[in-house]
Amino acid sequence: MTTSVAKVGTLLKKIPAGGLNAAQQSMETLYSAYFNYKNVALVEGTKREAIAAWRDVKLSELTNQRELLEQFMKETFKERATVIEGFFEKLDEAIESGNDNLLEKSIMGILTIAKHSPLLQAKDLMDAMRNPDVKVIDL
């Protein structure tokens, strides 16, 4: 142990007069750089956590929107199929009975349904889901 202290003492005697100040400034610069690095690492880590949390929220929102849209489309097409099938049954009935009034109404019903695309309704639904002012969506 005394040998180490003696070596340090010998080294200190060999340092030029301004060398101790330069060494002290170098150490202060190293400490400052280290603490600056730790601060930046902490701030950037917090930013990464915030970005990851934002990503998770957005992924959850997108998953929920997808499920809602999928259910909407499934139910809409199922309903349309049932209604169109009913109109075609009435159309067949009108043809068999010669009922021109029922024939016209059946054809008009089929055409009305065919004119309204569920994809336009789905677009309106998506627009409503993206609009932060919309609190309730009626399906």
Side-chain angles (χ1 to χ4, degrees):
M1 176 95 169
T2 42
T3 312
S4 300
V5 173
K7 287 181 182 178
V8 170
T10 304
L11 285 173
L12 289 175
K13 288 178 187 175
K14 292 181 181 179
I15 296 175
L20 283 178
N21 286 338
Q24 182 180 0
Q25 286 177 346
S26 295
M27 285 304 293
E28 288 174 1
T29 300
L30 283 173
Y31 280 127
S32 175
Y34 173 75
F35 288 118
N36 190 20
Y37 156 76
K38 291 301 263 180
N39 187 36
V40 168
L42 181 64
V43 167
E44 295 304 317
T46 303
K47 287 180 183 178
R48 280 192 296 277
E49 289 173 9
I51 290 168
W54 176 85
R55 178 204 61 213
D56 293 344
V57 167
K58 290 300 176 186
L59 284 174
S60 178
E61 285 177 4
L62 288 172
T63 299
N64 292 338
Q65 288 176 355
R66 182 189 147 274
E67 289 171 0
L68 179 64
L69 183 61
E70 186 177 316
Q71 186 66 29
F72 171 78
M73 295 301 286
K74 181 180 173 183
E75 293 301 318
T76 299
F77 279 107
K78 186 167 73 171
E79 177 185 334
R80 284 172 61 92
T82 302
V83 171
I84 289 172
E85 185 177 306
F87 277 127
F88 274 107
E89 287 174 5
K90 291 296 178 186
L91 182 64
D92 290 341
E93 183 182 314
I95 292 170
E96 288 174 11
S97 67
N99 185 339
D100 290 339
N101 188 30
L102 183 57
L103 180 71
E104 182 182 344
K105 287 183 180 182
S106 300
I107 291 173
M108 291 306 294
I110 293 168
L111 291 175
T112 300
I113 290 175
K115 285 181 189 177
H116 299 320
S117 171
L119 298 177
L120 291 175
Q121 292 172 322
K123 180 191 173 303
D124 293 341
L125 175 64
M126 292 302 297
D127 290 344
M129 285 192 287
R130 287 188 198 113
N131 186 345
D133 296 332
V134 174
K135 302 299 181 207
V136 176
I137 300 173
D138 293 325
L139 297 178

